[in-house]
Each structure stands twice: as C-alpha cells, then as structure tokens.
Amino acid sequence: MDTASYHRAMWYHKKHFNVWAREELQPLVDELVEAARTAPQYDGRFLYELEYYKLRCMRAYFSHSLIADGN
C-alpha cells in the first residue's frame, strides 16, 4: 500500500508541477530569451542582466521541485 500511495503522490506532483511550469515558469523563461535576443551583447551589464534572469528562473524551478525546498 505504501508503494501505491508513493506513486500516486508522484503522479499528482508531476501533474501539478507541469501546470505550474506552463503558467509560472514559462513566462520567466520567455523573458530570459527575449533579453538574450534583444540586449546589446557588447555591454557588460547585459551579462549581469542575463545572470539575473537565469537566477530568477532557477529560484522559481527549485522552489517547486522535489529535490529542493522553498528555502
């Protein structure tokens, strides 16, 4: 019975995570892509801005993944 509840919990997590990723994470990724496409690549601030966008995406992902908690 423990195995069935584990797999059920994993299925629900994956289901809810996919919805969250589509609604919450994808706009952050789109913002990162747009910044990478349009910002001047010769400017040093551009690199810091890209790193900032990547860190925002990583923080959002790891706050909802199973391998890390919100902290």
Side-chain angles (χ1 to χ4, degrees):
M1 194 64 173
D2 290 334
T3 304
S5 63
Y6 169 78
H7 287 290
R8 186 181 312 113
M10 291 301 292
W11 182 82
Y12 277 116
H13 173 74
K14 185 176 179 181
K15 177 182 169 184
H16 294 296
F17 184 81
N18 288 338
V19 170
W20 172 84
R22 186 171 48 251
E23 295 175 355
E24 300 291 329
L25 186 61
Q26 192 58 44
L28 292 175
V29 172
D30 292 341
E31 193 175 325
L32 169 66
V33 169
E34 185 63 29
R37 190 177 343 171
T38 59
Q41 297 183 3
Y42 55 82
D43 189 3
R45 289 183 300 160
F46 164 75
L47 296 175
Y48 288 116
E49 186 178 338
L50 279 183
E51 288 296 323
Y52 174 72
Y53 283 128
K54 288 193 293 185
L55 289 173
R56 284 179 50 202
C57 292
M58 289 170 54
R59 181 179 62 194
Y61 173 78
F62 284 123
S63 70
H64 285 80
S65 71
L66 287 177
I67 61 172
D69 60 1
N71 296 325

